[in-house]
């Protein structure tokens, strides 16, 4: 029951570099053609802001923003800003205070500023400075820091959830238009978001742990109350201290957007804008240039997901007008450059410093120590669309003028009214909201690059501090402009694989694809491939056994579970007598380095003779004890959060999440007396319950093959005579350069896990030097040699390795987050993340031209587009991308089909709360996809001719056996699940697969489920491979490829259906879709019938009803699972948590 459930937050919404930035030095926004688009952040319904949104640059400004001179230097201004011409009323500016050239040195300055311009970035933004020479301003007194209520919350990755809270001043959540009605036209792709009022909202902060949203209005007073050092009047924005001299006039702003709102009376009081020097230096109060502490141009393809942890934050909502909620499907390309004049949120430290300052001088100095340096905010920026965090900058410590220069290129498939840039202060126990910059999607929807300097606003639409601004650039690139998705998954000889990943595409090598742990000879039909070849059905556990047996240098194994007592070979012969433990001990005695890296289940323990098996029954302690006195080294590896995470976050990660990778790495014969590395990657753990064949027996092997290997966690209590749980899985063997990347993953994980912790630092650790350094072993061929020797094989493969993992689980990730771009890592709070599995899935789905076939243990995602529970945090894009792919094909009048095979219910007791919740989220995912497809049919007028199930179908697997003879069975209650299962002789086949085939030319296999915990990167650790044969693609052949991937899919369908039909060669065709659905319906009726009959095929239509309008509901007469009970559509009765998404 590995990866049981999933959890809700998504740091991902991580940056996906589509396409990759061609400029290695990551130039500033204006000089870069921005090939990608930003990630949509639809904050529930349209957020009502008490300010007007900036209009496109071509529009004229509604106010007299015609200044003769540029804005004065960056400062906290304490007096009226007397411009040469009268300025409009005091305002909250949501439009870009965009300078044609960046203002000079950012500073709080007490002397003249020499504004010699050396441009780090040129601007095409609305408010263009003609940039005459600034006259030196009069000395400006710096306003004191503003006290702000500390908001403590612990960090959790995933989507920010903005739950509207009950408050004495604001309406409850139910009164807020959470789900604006959509227009039934996909050509317009928009919804109308109704206007609302300013509201306090409890948001699932991506920095917070799972807690119910607080609804106490007094817990977080309005930000105006917190800004006690700022006085707001009808027409003046002043600070409580000395007034500053008037600022110089500024010149005309020809293309300034109409983005400011005005007070009832008075003028536009523009606050001083931070000036930026070409070298991004900070100027000290004495006028001396000081090198910045964070002056880095880094390009982060960051995708930090949303969290389900909740806290109070104040999010503004639009007061007037309505915003269009538009569908953004493509890429968002974003630069978050820098911010100026941020408020000091660390008021505790300031208060402490003030208290020390009142002490006698010498005593104060001794106590303060290093407090001479100002302690202030630690800012970072989260980019959000549709309640999903799609990117985030790294944290810059102790800076009110942070410089990020961070680039994000992220895929989006969201309905959104705005893209939100949420500026936060990172704290030890969470984060505090500083303010928000909201960019209406309408402004960028036509592809215009929007760049400028924007005020950071609080809940009242006022600047969080006078002069607080964020400089950014954003551009949306729709799918029809992204040519990389238009020609298939592996198009062309120069195809460079999935961009923006940790491991590159490796060319050359061989791949063997496996279905189930074993396929007996003659079990499946012969399949002919191109070139006169025949498809060979692999025998997975046989091949793993032989690979270990023949290894001479190393055997490295990772697993969620590894059981020493499992038998890999169960055919007749001597090999069937040996267990995994036997062969590993034997190899280690021969001098082979044998290392096992196994997840340490926190519920299994062996202390002073007291033993607990653990909830998940992974045998981790049992396996460790078995090898204790041998030379086999077993490292039990807990899933740990970093030391800098909060206590609650550490407990959540350690308790809920797992190390889920399944790999076997060995050396193999490379000819001429040399060795090479090969690797097995997929969904099969080497443990009990996994051995099965395409026949998937229930009862017939209980006394033979599965006599000592019974596994069925559905039942509690007496299981005598009950059916075993059949197990269907996918796996692969990689022989080529990509196998060395799998080895690198093992080495990085081992080095991290073997690092001494706590008391173990005091004793000699035997794990730290256990890894072989293969570069020092002359007979092992290196990765470059293996690449050169295998790239020209006409039946060769190109392979790429992907992962979901973070820096808490691997060594050699950069310690400085600013360097993470060199590794294509996502930036999270206190962690770097590899989310390339999700990247690979999105890339493959977007490039699909004909069909998608998926087998996966879970299928949950894109909750931002559900009709309810939008804030759940299951924000991976995969379900939405499939639905939008089908919708696009419908509008183009082209055939496309998606087949998704999932288990009948998640492993475990189907009536249990967690299982029911997973089924409920799964049902919401199905519903969203079918509704999207139906609306596309309506748009083109085909809803009468076709139904959504003509394009998308969900299936499950099951089996039924007649009685062969007398069978044992202990008496149990007549209506218990055990008794009913024995009577009706049926059970589901558990689909544990984690794979996808696209157009018979590309395959992804690995350990990752389609849910948040597998895709997010900060939850379960995962590994996968993506592969294709360059000589067997649509682009190469101009026809359906019939290579190994085609043979693999046809072999899987032969197993599931019980044979092969001609229409299966055209899976996108309406004939094939309807035929498979008809077969599935017949098989379900046979499975659910009272009469016990032998099932020839196992594929069953998933037992829900989908009407022509895409509505998903219970199948009449089959609301619960046969024999075992539990609602098929699931139920949700408890609080949201991170376990089940």
């Amino acid at each position: 029951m590995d990866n049981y459930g999933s959890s809700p937050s998504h740091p991902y919404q991580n940056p996906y570099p589509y396409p990759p930035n061609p400029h290695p030095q990551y130039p500033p926004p204006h000089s870069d053609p921005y090939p990608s688009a930003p990630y949509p952040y639809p904050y529930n319904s349209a957020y009502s802001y008490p300010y007007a949104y900036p209009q496109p640059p071509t529009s004229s400004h509604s106010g007299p923003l015609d200044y003769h001179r540029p804005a004065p230097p960056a400062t906290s201004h304490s007096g009226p800003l007397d411009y040469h011409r009268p300025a409009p009323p005091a305002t909250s500016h949501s439009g870009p205070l965009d300078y044609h050239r960046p203002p000079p040195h950012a500073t709080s300055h007490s002397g003249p500023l020499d504004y010699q311009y050396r441009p780090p970035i040129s601007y095409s933004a609305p408010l263009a400075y003609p940039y005459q020479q600034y006259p030196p301003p009069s000395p400006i007194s710096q306003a004191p820091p503003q006290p702000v209520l500390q908001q403590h919350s612990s960090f959790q990755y995933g989507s920010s959830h903005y739950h509207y809270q009950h408050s004495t001043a604001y309406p409850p959540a139910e009164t807020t238009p959470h789900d604006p009605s959509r227009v039934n036209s996909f050509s317009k792709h928009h919804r109308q978001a109704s206007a609302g009022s300013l509201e306090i909202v409890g948001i699932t902060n991506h920095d917070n742990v799972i807690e119910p949203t607080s609804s106490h209005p007094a817990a977080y007073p309005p930000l105006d109350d917190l800004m006690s050092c700022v006085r707001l009047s009808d027409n003046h924005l002043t600070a409580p201290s000395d007034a500053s001299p008037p600022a110089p006039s500024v010149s005309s702003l020809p293309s300034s957007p109409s983005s400011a709102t005005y007070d009832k009376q008075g003028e536009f009081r523009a606050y001083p804008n931070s000036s930026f020097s070409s070298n991004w230096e900070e100027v000290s109060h004495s006028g001396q240039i000081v090198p910045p502490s964070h002056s880095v141009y880094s390009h982060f393809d960051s995708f930090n997901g949303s969290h389900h942890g909740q806290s109070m934050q104040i999010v503004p909502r639009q007061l007037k007008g309505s915003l269009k909620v538009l569908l953004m499907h493509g890429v968002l390309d974003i630069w978050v450059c820098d911010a100026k004049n941020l408020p000091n949120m660390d008021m505790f430290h300031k208060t402490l410093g003030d208290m020390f300052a009142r002490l006698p001088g010498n005593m104060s100095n001794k106590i303060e120590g290093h407090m001479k340096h100002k302690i202030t905010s630690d800012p970072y920026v989260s980019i959000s669309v549709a309640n999903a965090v799609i990117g985030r900058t790294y944290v810059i410590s102790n800076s009110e003028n942070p410089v990020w220069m961070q680039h994000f290129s992220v895929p989006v498939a969201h309905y959104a009214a705005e893209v939100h840039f949420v500026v936060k202060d990172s704290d030890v126990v969470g984060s505090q909201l500083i303010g928000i910059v909201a960019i209406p999607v309408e402004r960028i929807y036509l592809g215009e690059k929007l760049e400028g300097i924007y005020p950071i606003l609080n809940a009242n639409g006022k600047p969080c501090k006078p002069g607080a601004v964020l400089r950014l650039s954003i551009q949306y690139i729709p799918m029809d402009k992204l040519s990389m998705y238009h020609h298939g998954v592996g198009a062309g000889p120069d195809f460079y694989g999935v961009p923006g990943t940790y491991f590159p595409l490796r060319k050359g090598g061989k791949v063997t694809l496996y279905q189930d742990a074993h396929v007996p000879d003659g079990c499946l039909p012969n399949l002919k491939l191109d070139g006169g070849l025949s498809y060979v059905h692999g025998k997975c556990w046989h091949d793993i056994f032989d690979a270990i047996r023949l290894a001479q240098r190393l055997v490295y194994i990772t697993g969620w579970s590894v059981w020493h007592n499992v038998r890999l070979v169960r055919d007749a012969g001597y090999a069937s007598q040996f267990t995994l433990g036997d062969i590993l001990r034997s190899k280690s005695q021969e001098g082979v380095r044998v290392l096992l890296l196994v997840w340490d289940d926190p519920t299994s323990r062996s202390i002073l003779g007291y033993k607990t098996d653990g909830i998940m029954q992974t045998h981790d302690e049992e396996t460790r004890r078995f090898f204790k006195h041998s030379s086999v080294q077993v490292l039990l590896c807990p899933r740990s959060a970093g030391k800098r995470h909060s206590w609650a976050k550490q407990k959540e990660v350690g308790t809920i999440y797992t190390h889920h990778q399944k790999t076997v790495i060995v050396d193999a014969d490379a000819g001429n007396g040399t060795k090479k590395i090969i690797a097995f990657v997929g969904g099969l753990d080497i443990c009990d319950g996994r051995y099965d064949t395409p026949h998937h027996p229930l009862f017939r092997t209980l006394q033979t093959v599965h006599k000592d290997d019974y596994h069925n966690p559905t039942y509690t209590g007496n299981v005598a005579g009950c059916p075993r749980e059949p197990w269907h899985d996918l796996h692969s063997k990689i022989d080529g350069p990509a196998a060395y990347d799998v080895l690198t993953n093992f080495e990085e994980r081992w080095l991290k896990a073997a690092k001494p912790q706590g008391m173990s630092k005091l004793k000699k650790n035997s794990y730290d030097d256990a890894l072989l350094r293969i570069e020092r072993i002359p007979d092992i061929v290196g990765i470059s040699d293996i690449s050169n020797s295998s790239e020209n094989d006409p039946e060769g493969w190109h392979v790429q390795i992907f992962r979901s993992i973070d820096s808490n689980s691997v060594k050699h990730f950069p310690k400085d987050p600013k360097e993470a771009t060199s590794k294509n890592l996502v930036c999270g709070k206190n962690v770097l993340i590899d989310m390339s599995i999700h990247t690979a899935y999105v890339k493959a789905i977007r490039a699909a031209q004909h069909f998608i076939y998926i087998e996966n243990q879970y299928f949950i995602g894109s909750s931002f587009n559900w009709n309810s529970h939008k804030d759940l945090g299951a924000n991976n894009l995969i379900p939405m991308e499939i639905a939008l792919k089908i919708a696009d094909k419908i509008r183009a009048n082209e055939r496309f089909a998606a087949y998704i095979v999932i288990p009948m219910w998640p492993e475990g007791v189907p009536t249990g709360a967690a299982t029911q919740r997973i089924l409920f989220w799964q049902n919401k995912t199905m519903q969203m996809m079918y509704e999207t497809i139906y609306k596309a049919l309506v748009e083109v007028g085909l809803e009468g001719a076709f139904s959504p199930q003509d394009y998308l179908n969900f299936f499950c697997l099951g089996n039924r056996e007649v009685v062969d003879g007398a069978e044992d069975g202990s008496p149990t209650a007549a209506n218990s699940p055990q008794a009913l299962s024995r009577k009706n002789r049926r059970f589901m086949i558990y689909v544990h697969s984690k794979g996808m085939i696209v157009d018979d030319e590309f395959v992804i296999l690995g350990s990752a489920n389609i849910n948040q915990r597998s895709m997010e990167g900060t939850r379960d650790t995962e590994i996968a491979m993506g592969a294709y044969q360059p000589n067997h693609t649509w682009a190469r052949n101009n026809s359906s490829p019939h290579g190994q991937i085609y043979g693999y899919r046809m072999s899987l369908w032969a197993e599931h259906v019980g044979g092969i039909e001609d229409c299966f060669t055209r899976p996108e065709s309406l004939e094939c879709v309807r035929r498979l659905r008809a077969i599935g319906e017949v098989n379900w009726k046979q499975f659910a019938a009272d009469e016990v009959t032998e099932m020839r095929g196992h594929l069953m239509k998933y037992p829900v009803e989908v009407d022509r309008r895409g509505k998903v509901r219970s199948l009449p007469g089959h609301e619960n699972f046969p024999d075992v009970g539990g609602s098929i559509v699931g139920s949700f009765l408890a609080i949201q948590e991170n376990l089940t998404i």
Side-chain angles (χ1 to χ4, degrees):
M1 190 169 95
D2 59 314
N3 200 14
Y4 185 69
S6 155
S7 75
S9 82
H10 204 305
Y12 260 254
Q13 259 125 347
N14 79 67
Y16 296 95
Y18 292 130
N21 182 10
H23 309 288
Q25 297 304 318
Y26 307 111
H30 187 67
S31 61
D32 183 36
Y34 288 119
S36 56
Y39 219 65
Y41 184 165
Y43 266 44
N44 283 347
S45 55
Y47 279 72
S48 304
Y49 282 77
Y51 54 88
Y53 288 99
Q55 301 302 318
T58 55
S59 64
S60 60
H61 204 289
S62 60
L65 298 178
D66 187 12
Y67 306 141
H68 282 197
R69 289 181 182 271
T75 176
S76 297
H77 208 291
S78 59
L81 307 179
D82 189 8
Y83 289 86
H84 183 68
R85 296 186 58 173
T91 177
S92 303
H93 207 295
S94 73
L97 302 181
D98 198 3
Y99 306 108
H100 185 64
R101 296 183 180 180
H105 312 293
T107 177
S108 294
H109 209 287
S110 60
L113 300 180
D114 180 13
Y115 290 98
Q116 183 70 31
Y117 171 65
R118 300 184 298 279
I121 288 185
S122 55
Y123 279 89
S124 61
L127 301 185
Y129 270 15
Y131 240 90
Q132 305 164 2
Q133 184 73 17
Y134 268 139
S138 303
I140 296 172
S141 61
Q142 186 175 6
Q146 308 164 27
V148 178
L149 178 65
Q150 296 279 348
Q151 174 196 353
H152 296 292
S153 55
S154 55
F155 178 68
Q156 177 187 1
Y157 306 105
S159 79
S160 310
H161 308 264
Y162 286 69
H163 304 287
Y164 295 153
Q165 296 302 306
H166 296 270
S167 164
T168 55
Y170 304 106
E174 290 73 24
T175 66
T176 304
H178 270 239
D179 189 19
S181 60
R182 301 184 203 164
V183 176
N184 267 347
S185 170
F186 267 71
S187 60
K188 296 297 180 185
H189 298 312
H190 77 274
R191 307 172 185 167
Q192 289 292 336
S194 57
S197 61
L198 203 77
E199 293 190 1
I200 295 180
V201 294
I203 73 171
T204 321
N205 188 332
H206 62 289
D207 298 329
N208 298 336
V209 293
I210 332 165
E211 293 179 15
T213 305
S214 170
S215 59
H216 304 290
Y220 203 126
L223 289 187
D224 274 348
D225 295 344
L226 310 179
M227 299 171 64
S228 58
C229 63
V230 176
R231 215 167 43 244
L232 296 176
S233 65
D234 286 343
N235 54 5
H236 294 284
L237 178 61
T238 59
S241 58
D242 304 334
S244 298
S249 303
V250 295
S251 57
S252 169
L253 304 172
S255 61
S256 59
S258 173
S259 58
T261 56
Y262 309 98
D263 288 340
K264 289 176 278 190
Q265 51 182 317
E267 302 173 335
F268 176 91
R269 294 298 176 187
Y271 44 87
N273 286 296
S274 303
S275 300
F276 308 101
S277 75
S278 59
N279 294 325
W280 302 100
E281 295 158 330
E282 296 184 14
V283 182
S284 67
H285 287 279
S286 63
Q288 183 180 7
I289 294 176
V290 181
S293 59
H294 296 280
S295 173
V296 176
Y297 290 73
S298 60
H299 166 247
F300 271 100
D301 298 300
S302 246
F303 170 59
N304 190 36
S306 37
H307 319 320
H308 182 63
Q310 292 144 350
S311 70
M312 286 295 293
Q313 271 189 343
I314 299 180
V315 177
R317 293 182 55 84
Q318 170 102 352
L319 276 178
K320 27 190 177 177
S322 61
L323 292 172
K324 287 183 178 178
V325 178
L326 302 171
L327 172 63
M328 288 194 294
H329 187 211
V331 174
L332 280 177
D333 192 85
I334 299 171
W335 281 86
V336 176
C337 300
D338 45 46
K340 297 293 174 179
N341 296 326
L342 297 181
N344 182 356
M345 307 297 285
D346 291 338
M347 297 309 298
F348 170 78
H349 299 289
K350 177 185 181 299
T351 303
L352 201 61
D354 292 344
M355 179 182 69
F356 288 149
R358 296 190 182 96
L359 298 174
N362 292 338
M363 185 182 300
S364 174
N365 291 338
K366 289 179 180 178
I367 295 177
E368 284 184 288
H370 294 288
M371 290 184 66
K372 291 289 186 183
H373 301 288
K374 182 179 180 181
I375 297 177
T376 185
S377 301
D378 304 319
Y380 66 96
V381 179
S382 290
I383 309 163
S384 304
V385 185
N387 279 10
V389 176
I390 60 171
R392 62 172 299 158
T393 67
Y394 53 84
V395 176
I396 294 183
S397 299
N398 217 36
S399 177
E400 296 176 18
N401 299 287
V403 177
W404 291 285
M405 290 308 302
Q406 205 162 339
H407 181 237
F408 304 84
S409 180
V410 289
V412 288
H414 303 68
Y415 286 96
E418 298 169 328
V419 179
H420 285 198
F421 294 80
V422 184
V423 185
K424 296 181 179 180
D425 171 40
S426 175
D427 287 329
V428 175
V429 291
S431 63
Q432 295 181 82
L433 175 67
I434 294 177
I436 297 175
V437 172
I439 305 296
V441 173
E442 286 182 278
R443 290 292 315 277
I444 60 174
Y445 198 65
L446 297 180
E448 172 195 2
K449 181 165 69 174
L450 196 65
E451 52 185 356
I453 300 176
Y454 295 80
I456 301 170
L457 306 180
N458 62 19
N460 297 323
K462 302 295 183 182
C464 63
K465 174 186 175 182
V469 292
L470 178 68
R471 186 159 64 104
L472 60 90
S473 169
I474 181 170
Q475 184 178 22
Y476 166 59
I477 304 174
M479 284 292 295
D480 58 3
K481 297 293 193 297
L482 297 168
S483 60
M484 68 180 298
Y485 300 131
H486 297 169
H487 307 293
V489 177
D494 299 326
F495 179 72
Y496 48 85
V498 178
T501 58
Y502 189 85
F503 295 112
L505 179 72
R506 303 293 188 183
K507 297 184 177 182
K510 298 178 182 178
V511 171
T512 304
L513 302 172
Y514 301 106
Q515 60 196 94
D516 304 315
H518 184 60
V519 177
D521 293 335
C523 178
L524 295 172
N526 294 324
L527 298 166
K528 294 298 181 183
L529 310 179
D530 287 342
L533 299 176
S534 294
Y535 181 75
V536 177
H537 305 284
K539 301 179 179 183
C540 184
W541 278 15
H542 262 233
D543 289 355
I544 291 176
F545 179 90
D546 288 338
I548 295 174
R549 180 174 59 86
L550 296 173
Q552 295 183 12
R553 293 289 187 177
L554 60 90
V555 176
Y556 296 166
I557 299 175
T558 63
W560 175 85
S561 172
V562 177
W563 190 34
H564 70 280
N565 212 27
V566 70
R567 289 180 297 120
L568 296 175
V569 178
R570 306 189 187 185
D571 296 345
Y574 84 98
S576 62
Q577 304 171 8
F578 295 102
T579 65
L580 176 66
D582 295 333
I583 187 173
L584 292 180
R585 283 205 295 200
S586 173
K587 296 307 293 184
S588 68
Q589 290 168 4
E590 295 173 11
V592 176
R593 187 62 53 89
V594 180
L595 306 180
L596 273 61
L597 187 59
V598 183
W599 173 53
D600 185 3
D601 182 352
T603 63
S604 66
R605 286 290 176 262
S606 178
I607 302 174
L608 300 176
Y610 177 75
K611 302 172 185 178
T612 58
D613 291 336
I615 296 173
M616 308 302 282
Q617 300 287 316
T618 61
H619 308 288
D620 55 338
E621 290 290 345
E622 185 180 344
T623 296
R624 182 186 62 82
R625 289 194 300 270
F626 178 83
F627 291 114
K628 186 173 182 179
H629 299 294
S630 73
S631 52
V632 175
Q633 300 189 47
V634 180
L635 189 53
L636 298 187
C637 180
R639 178 67 181 95
S640 302
K643 293 183 293 185
R644 291 186 291 176
H645 287 306
S646 68
W647 177 87
K649 180 64 178 177
Q650 291 180 18
K651 290 300 179 185
E652 177 195 1
V653 171
T655 304
I656 295 179
Y657 305 132
T658 74
H659 289 298
H660 200 236
Q661 297 179 346
K662 303 109 170 38
T663 64
V664 176
I665 305 157
V666 300
D667 65 292
D669 182 36
N672 299 320
T674 61
K675 292 288 183 180
K676 61 184 176 181
I677 299 297
I678 64 172
F680 296 82
V681 176
L684 276 168
D685 282 297
I686 307 178
C687 64
D688 53 330
R690 272 47 173 182
Y691 185 89
D692 213 339
T693 68
H695 296 302
H696 299 295
L698 300 177
F699 299 93
R700 292 184 178 129
T701 57
L702 291 179
Q703 301 304 318
T704 55
V705 172
H706 293 103
K707 182 177 182 181
D708 300 317
D709 188 9
Y710 180 86
H711 176 79
N712 195 331
T714 301
Y715 306 121
T716 58
N718 183 10
V719 295
C722 293
R724 59 177 290 270
E725 180 179 74
W727 197 273
H728 175 68
D729 224 323
L730 308 179
H731 218 75
S732 68
K733 179 175 73 175
I734 303 168
D735 180 352
Y740 290 74
D741 292 333
V742 182
L743 173 62
T744 297
N745 169 76
F746 182 92
E747 292 172 338
E748 290 180 344
R749 283 195 56 200
W750 182 274
L751 289 171
K752 186 72 173 183
K755 183 179 179 181
Q757 304 289 339
M759 296 298 294
S760 62
K761 293 181 180 180
L762 304 178
K763 58 183 180 179
K764 184 179 179 181
N765 193 299
S766 60
Y767 297 115
D768 52 2
D769 60 350
L771 290 170
L772 293 180
R773 298 188 180 183
I774 63 169
E775 68 276 6
R776 297 182 180 180
I777 304 176
D779 62 343
I780 297 185
V781 178
I783 186 172
S784 57
D785 297 326
I786 208 75
S787 300
N788 296 334
S789 64
S790 58
E791 192 171 338
N792 298 322
D793 184 353
E795 290 299 313
W797 291 73
H798 292 176
V799 186
Q800 195 169 5
I801 300 301
F802 313 113
R803 292 188 298 186
S804 293
I805 204 165
D806 64 28
S807 52
N808 296 317
S809 299
V810 289
K811 189 101 169 170
H812 296 152
F813 276 12
K815 293 185 178 180
D816 188 342
K818 295 187 287 293
E819 300 174 5
T821 182
S822 62
K823 300 284 190 178
N824 290 314
L825 298 174
V826 175
C827 185
K829 183 181 177 184
N830 300 324
V831 70
L832 297 179
I833 311 161
D834 182 350
M835 296 185 60
S836 51
I837 294 179
H838 183 269
T839 305
Y841 267 92
V842 171
K843 164 67 170 61
I845 294 167
R846 288 184 168 190
Q849 301 299 313
H850 306 280
F851 78 93
I852 291 170
Y853 175 66
I854 289 175
E855 291 185 7
N856 207 283
Q857 183 184 2
Y858 297 95
F859 195 82
I860 298 170
S862 306
S863 60
F864 51 80
N865 199 45
W866 295 354
N867 56 14
S868 63
H869 300 282
K870 292 175 180 289
D871 61 346
L872 180 67
N875 293 322
N876 73 79
L877 299 183
I878 295 169
M880 187 64 171
E881 289 287 355
I882 295 172
L884 291 178
K885 168 62 68 175
I886 295 172
D888 289 343
K889 290 294 185 177
I890 290 172
R891 285 191 290 273
N893 196 28
E894 298 176 7
R895 276 300 308 167
F896 194 90
Y899 306 86
I900 301 173
V901 180
I902 55 179
M904 195 179 298
W905 66 84
E907 190 178 40
V909 180
T911 55
T915 306
Q916 281 292 295
R917 206 168 302 161
I918 294 169
L919 291 165
F920 184 77
W921 306 140
Q922 179 179 281
N923 184 262
K924 302 295 288 184
T925 303
M926 290 182 183
Q927 179 69 68
M928 177 273 296
M929 297 177 72
Y930 280 122
E931 284 183 356
T932 301
I933 296 168
Y934 173 71
K935 288 175 182 177
L937 289 169
V938 170
E939 180 189 344
V940 297
L942 293 176
E943 71 274 19
F946 301 101
S947 75
Q949 289 188 105
D950 288 332
Y951 302 89
L952 170 67
N953 285 277
F954 288 86
F955 298 93
C956 59
L957 304 178
N959 198 10
R960 200 164 193 181
E961 292 178 355
V962 297
V963 178
D964 288 336
E967 295 187 0
D968 296 333
S970 301
T972 54
N975 293 323
S976 68
Q978 292 95 317
L980 292 173
S981 296
R982 287 198 299 268
K983 172 188 173 184
N984 294 312
R985 301 186 64 80
R986 60 189 170 196
F987 202 80
M988 72 161 174
I989 298 170
Y990 193 60
V991 177
H992 191 259
S993 314
K994 296 97 169 49
M996 178 173 73
I997 294 172
V998 174
D999 294 344
D1000 280 340
E1001 68 180 7
F1002 184 79
V1003 60
I1004 295 178
L1005 294 180
S1007 66
N1009 295 311
I1010 297 178
N1011 59 11
Q1012 203 58 30
R1013 62 186 298 155
S1014 282
M1015 292 294 164
E1016 187 166 298
T1018 60
R1019 302 186 180 197
D1020 288 351
T1021 60
E1022 310 283 5
I1023 192 168
M1025 57 80 78
Y1028 69 100
Q1029 293 181 283
N1031 291 321
H1032 296 282
T1033 64
W1034 279 86
R1036 181 69 175 257
N1037 302 333
N1038 293 317
S1039 63
S1040 176
H1042 284 187
Q1044 294 291 325
I1045 297 174
Y1046 160 81
Y1048 188 48
R1049 178 187 60 83
M1050 292 290 281
S1051 181
L1052 287 167
W1053 284 20
E1055 172 185 339
H1056 299 333
V1057 174
I1060 292 294
E1061 299 188 16
D1062 289 342
C1063 66
F1064 294 176
T1065 62
R1066 303 178 304 279
E1068 73 276 11
S1069 67
L1070 185 61
E1071 176 190 8
C1072 183
V1073 172
R1074 291 180 172 174
R1075 176 59 180 157
L1076 272 180
R1077 187 168 74 244
I1079 291 172
E1081 290 170 346
V1082 169
N1083 285 340
W1084 169 255
K1085 290 178 181 177
Q1086 182 181 3
F1087 182 86
D1090 293 335
E1091 181 185 1
V1092 178
T1093 56
E1094 192 84 13
M1095 291 185 68
R1096 173 173 173 263
H1098 307 304
L1099 187 75
M1100 302 185 295
K1101 183 181 177 297
Y1102 196 81
V1104 292
E1105 181 181 75
V1106 183
D1107 66 17
R1108 295 190 68 87
R1109 297 172 62 87
K1111 299 297 181 183
V1112 181
R1113 55 179 64 92
S1114 298
L1115 191 64
H1118 300 280
E1119 290 79 11
N1120 298 314
F1121 295 109
D1123 302 335
V1124 296
S1127 171
I1128 293 175
V1129 298
S1131 62
F1132 174 64
L1133 302 175
I1135 63 169
Q1136 296 175 184
E1137 36 61 49
N1138 283 346
L1139 174 66
T1140 60
I1141 64 166

